[in-house]
Amino acid sequence: MQQDIFTMGVDIGSSASKCIIMKNGDAIVAKSLASVGAGTSGPEKAIAEVLSQFGGSLSQISWICATGYGRNSLKEANKEVSELSCHAKGAHFLFPGVKTVIDIGGQDVKALHMDGAGRLLNFVMNDKCAAGTGRFLDVMSRVLETKISDLAQEGAKSTKKVTISSTCTVFSESEVISHLANNETIPDVINGIHRSVASRIAGLAKRVGVEAPVVMTGGVASNFEVVRYVSEELNASIATSPLSQYNGAIGAAIYAFEAYRHQLEDDALTIGTSK
Ligand code: ADP
């Protein structure tokens, strides 16, 4: 009987570190998330937590692949893979046949156009601006003293349209403060923020050419109001998964499995030719 192969994918993002352990490249056996990203203790915390959930040690992991903004800093990694490649692979695993992936993380928005068979055809990314990203929502949630995980629920209580017209995070923050000073309610202001973010995201996604099936990944995919408004703007239904934020780490763990298998094949070839 063949022994199971365990691989690890670590996605070190700008605001969170995600870790996945997979068995034989096709089953998730452990996952962890530390809410701090690159340049912090986040990756170490995420690795320690995923290993404790796995109930084993690093020596049982055949190959580790790092991705994300902070991928170059992970000393445990056997290989680094670009975010785009990992997101494409992760999305095809979570949503087989997907053609458009909209990934919204803490610092960037990516729209990927895929061929339905897991290959990346084209992509578009936002510029350095935080508008339309998780960072924008993080700043607003602080101003509104509402937890990031409660934004969608609160925004859904809105009964009146409040417009956030500026796309700049700094100016939008002032706009939010002045709406609150004018006695607009928190749900109405949150709703305005969600619509503003969704319109930026949809604008970017349209540039890549949106083709169904469409999915949303990254931490912001947990915000069902943002998903709803992007879906309305694109006139397309959008699927999400409870594992959306782990998408890049899942892709990295699959890459790790493939890289390990290649290495085994190369080793077998070398042994074969040296005989
Ligand atoms: P990165 O890879 O850049 O660190 P992630 O894909 O991990 O980004 O997403 C992080 C963002 O997701 C945060 O900036 C935050 O805005 C958003 N987020 C995280 N958790 C939640 C949640 N429970 N509900 C809504 N949004 C969330």
Side-chain angles (χ1 to χ4, degrees), residues 45-93:
K45 270 190 202 145
I47 291 176
E49 199 187 313
V50 86
L51 285 173
S52 126
Q53 208 183 93
F54 174 59
S57 70
L58 265 187
S59 62
Q60 289 164 264
I61 308 293
S62 299
W63 200 276
I64 302 174
C65 223
T67 190
Y69 181 63
R71 64 182 177 274
N72 300 329
S73 61
L74 193 75
K75 58 181 189 316
E76 293 90 347
N78 300 97
K79 188 180 165 75
E80 292 152 22
V81 180
S82 83
E83 280 179 77
L84 287 166
S85 304
C86 288
H87 278 283
K89 198 163 281 285
H92 188 67
F93 174 82

Side-chain angles (χ1 to χ4, degrees), residues 1 31 136 151 179 253:
M1 205 179 75
K31 64 175 181 2
F136 182 89
L151 275 188
H179 278 312

Side-chain angles (χ1 to χ4, degrees), residues 13-16 18 104-107 134 138 148-149 218-220 222-223 245:
S14 61
S15 67
K18 287 78 62 179
I104 314 162
Q107 159 168 290
D138 294 339
I148 193 78
S149 51
V220 178
S222 303
N223 184 319
Q245 198 169 0

Side-chain angles (χ1 to χ4, degrees), residues 11-18 33-38 68-69 83 87 103-108 110 133-139 141 147-152 217-224 244-246:
D11 178 6
I12 308 169
S14 61
S15 67
S17 305
K18 287 78 62 179
L33 187 151
S35 296
V36 276
Y69 181 63
E83 280 179 77
H87 278 283
D103 178 78
I104 314 162
Q107 159 168 290
D108 50 38
K110 302 183 259 296
T133 68
R135 173 98 187 103
F136 182 89
L137 291 167
D138 294 339
V139 169
S141 84
K147 279 199 290 190
I148 193 78
S149 51
D150 292 342
L151 275 188
T217 60
V220 178
S222 303
N223 184 319
F224 58 84
S244 281
Q245 198 169 0
Y246 296 90

Side-chain angles (χ1 to χ4, degrees), residues 5-27:
I5 296 167
F6 295 101
T7 58
M8 185 187 285
V10 189
D11 178 6
I12 308 169
S14 61
S15 67
S17 305
K18 287 78 62 179
C19 214
I20 287 282
I21 295 178
M22 280 189 118
K23 186 171 87 177
N24 302 326
D26 61 10

